[in-house]
Amino acid sequence: MTDALDTLRQEVRLWLEGNAPQDWRDHCTTEEAFVDLQRSWFATLAKGGYAVPHWPAGWPGGGRGLAEQKVIYEEFARADTPRLLLSFMSTYHAASTLFEWGSEAQRQYYIPRILDGEIWCQGFSEPNAGSDLASLKTRAERQGDVYIVNGQKLWSTMGQFADKCLLLVRTSSEGAKQAGLTYLLLDLKAKGVTVRPIHQIHGDEEFAEVFLDNVEIPVTDRLGKEGQGWAVAQSTLSSERGLTLLELSARMRGALWRIGDLIRANGRDNDSGILRDFGRLATKVDAACAVADQFLANRIAGEERVGDASIVKLSYSRTLRGFTSLGLRIGGMDTQYHDPITFGGGMETGNWMADFMNSYAWTIAGGSDEVQRNIIAERLLGMPREPKSWTLKEAVA
Amino acid sequence: MSMTRAELQDAADKAFGQSDLAPDAEKAWGLIAEMGFLMMAVPEAQGGLGLGLEAAGVVHDALGRVLVPGPAIAQMLVIEALNAADTLADRDSLIERAVGGEVMTASLALRNSATLLTCVPNADRASHVLLVEEARIALLPMDGLTITPRDTWDKTRRLFDVSVDGSTPQIILAEGNASTALAQRLSMQRSFALAADSLGGANATLRLTIDYLETRHQFDRPLALFQALKHRVADLKTAIVAAEALLWERASDRAMDAITMGALKAHACNVYRMVTEEAVQLHGGIGLTMEHHCHLFLKRAMLNAALGGDADHWEEETGRQALGQAIA
Ligand SMILES: Cc1cc2nc3c(=O)[nH]c(=O)nc-3n(C[C@H](O)[C@H](O)[C@H](O)COP(=O)(O)OP(=O)(O)OC[C@H]3O[C@@H](n4cnc5c(N)ncnc54)[C@H](O)[C@@H]3O)c2cc1C
């Protein structure tokens, strides 16, 4: 077993020597360069068979065991390759949801296109439906073989570069909020779709808003049944909360050298306080990796429980905040000067202020830390749930 | 391994899961020996189960959950040291006596002098004590050694100082390089056992706290309905689950060393402390009394944090090691 893994490690390392982009951090400071690099690097990975190790067996590049995936991610982190930001939603969110809910025809149609480089984004959130996602208002009305969709989506990561969108819409306002939702696959090139990029806190444009004006979506592009959208969306969210974090936590571990570098560069090698904080962080990062590994192993064994993914996400997001904060602290005044940010550098570019601000993406996106805490307390630990309705009268009384 | 972790866990739960917190010391010790818990790490060739660290983790976790008193961690260190002493003539009989429940103890402190061993559990009942020095590891018969009981806040462990004098006869278990290697192994074992005990305790404390929050009503509702409290509980749960994942990962990793295990110990003890400190707070006034069980866990958590090297020590060592590795 270990021998096979060592062989794989050598294989990946050798392959990366010949194929990993070099010096990309230096020129990846414009959006064009970012998109070019992301596309070409994804194509190279797909050809090399390393783009989607987490996919099930039977698909090119898929069927890698947990231990193999770890080796691959560790080597990527070690070679400091760009993180696949642009195709992240396609290979994780879209693919996982399609594998779980797609019909055979839908899978055969969409999955190969993802490997060909088609970009997906996720259109769940709306201006008035963030944490309370189930209250979303974007409406889809069925007319014969199509749904007519009207509304607005917000915070769609990579939406401005995407070809397709995982779209959660309301098809009914009867009964429970969740029961009226339906899951559609939207072609962003369709008539009536407008996408507008939004500047993120550090100046990068990583997400977009999407306006839908009488957009037609064929009924054949529905995942699951009408009204089943909430259940389908849980697959997407669980992928975001669990699976992706295997890669991200491995990358965070791989990036510990950045803090090590900083400690040396600032002559803090013998500062006990700094060493302790670094040591404590290194162990926390290991724990975040271990819990992501355990999550995936449980999922493969069919033992995932509601709330497990929330633990993985909460532990990652808090650790990442700690990681970037420590970098900021040791980096001192230097981190206050504005350096150009590296697009697609991940959360650990060594541009500490940008990395720190970026860590909020994980404490807010995909269900905020507070929402994860609610899920853990109520679903995993069985504590009583919040009363459903709220009125001003009750609050005052 | 022949028994899965789940099977072992079942057995440990059956033995201790139903009992009261901090059960009777004599009975518990008998049960530990009877269940074969002490022979788990002993190689099959010497009549043991050959199960290794993972199994030890299950046992110490179970003991930590119900605050089982006694010298189980110290005893396992002695057994590990005896295992390694393959040239010792009466090794097998010593092992047999040790796994049968005859108390052979060891210091749980990080450092000792050649003349004074501190933090030695149950020295008053022991036939032998383990002496670990850089150049030599030996088993000393207790006869004639001076012991001083130390009254600890944590009543679930009884600790002693043991004075060793030069004339004490010694059963040498390892010397030179072999001794250095064995000392590292013993340090790893001690850290690992304390980590497992801590996470068992942390889990039990969290359960206790949730049960309390669900039963206790204030402002016409169970406390468990208050989000400010739920969120703290969720954070504790997350910290415990991540630390447990790390524990089991490190249990099965053969490349571990004393520092990496020390880091695990520091991490697990930090989590245990955090959980028990929060537990007292979340229990309100009752949490501050001897009537309620909270304080038992808090005191054991504080003792675990101090035994075997504190977090300051291990975190600094880990930082230095990580710095070396990060740059390599
Ligand atoms: C970088 C980034 C990328 C994103 N990408 C996407 C994407 O690709 N697709 C998509 O659909 N969405 C995306 N989102 C949206 C994301 O899912 C929402 O921002 C998130 O769910 C929070 O919703 P909100 O912003 O409306 O905040 P709100 O829901 O208004 O929350 C504001 C604050 O109140 C807290 N809060 C809310 N409800 C509760 C509660 N019940 N108990 C306690 N505290 C509560 C929150 O935790 C938060 O701190 C992204 C967001 C970010 C930041």
Side-chain angles (χ1 to χ4, degrees), chain B residues 27-43:
Chain B
K27 265 199 215 140
W29 187 248
L31 199 54
I32 287 172
E34 196 183 303
M35 296 288 296
F37 287 158
L38 296 170
M39 63 199 294
M40 276 178 335
V42 177

Side-chain angles (χ1 to χ4, degrees), chain B residues 212-276:
Chain B
Y212 180 75
L213 294 176
E214 282 175 344
T215 0
R216 170 83 176 157
H217 279 65
Q218 291 290 281
F219 305 100
D220 302 325
R221 69 185 72 176
L223 290 175
L225 202 55
F226 288 104
Q227 202 185 49
L229 308 186
K230 271 200 257 186
H231 281 194
R232 285 159 72 176
V233 168
D235 282 344
L236 299 178
K237 175 72 180 174
T238 302
I240 293 174
V241 173
E244 282 176 333
L246 188 67
L247 178 90
W248 298 122
E249 189 182 88
R250 293 200 171 169
S252 57
D253 187 342
R254 293 187 194 292
M256 283 295 116
D257 56 51
I259 294 178
T260 327
M261 279 304 186
L264 169 71
K265 186 255 165 190
H267 183 70
C269 288
N270 287 344
V271 170
Y272 196 12
R273 267 192 67 164
M274 175 170 77
V275 173
T276 51

Side-chain angles (χ1 to χ4, degrees), chain A residues 257 260 264 272 275-276 278-280 283 286 290-291 293-294 311 314 370 373-374 376 378 382-386, chain B residues 214 224-225 227 230-231 233-235 237-238 241 245-246 249-250 263 312 315-316 319-320 322-323 326-327:
Chain A
W257 66 268
R264 289 263 158 93
S272 301
L275 287 173
R276 279 174 198 161
F278 185 44
R280 193 180 313 125
T283 309
D286 278 354
V291 80
D293 290 354
Q294 176 187 285
I311 290 216
L314 191 56
E370 288 73 22
R373 290 183 176 112
N374 284 343
I376 293 164
E378 292 171 2
M383 296 173 88
R385 304 182 73 155
E386 295 286 311
Chain B
E214 282 175 344
L225 202 55
Q227 202 185 49
K230 271 200 257 186
H231 281 194
V233 168
D235 282 344
K237 175 72 180 174
T238 302
V241 173
L246 188 67
E249 189 182 88
R250 293 200 171 169
D312 278 350
E315 283 167 359
E316 184 168 343
R320 197 164 279 120
L323 192 60
I327 306 297

Side-chain angles (χ1 to χ4, degrees), chain A residues 8 11 42 45-66 68-69 72-73 91-92 95 99 111-112 114-115 243 296 300:
Chain A
L8 174 66
E11 233 171 73
F42 181 78
L45 279 170
K47 213 163 97 215
Y50 297 120
V52 288
H54 59 285
W55 281 11
W59 297 96
R64 299 277 194 181
L66 173 60
E68 292 177 303
Q69 291 184 43
I72 294 173
Y73 295 137
T91 62
Y92 283 100
F99 287 134
I111 299 287
I114 290 177
L115 262 190
L243 217 50
L296 191 58
I300 290 167

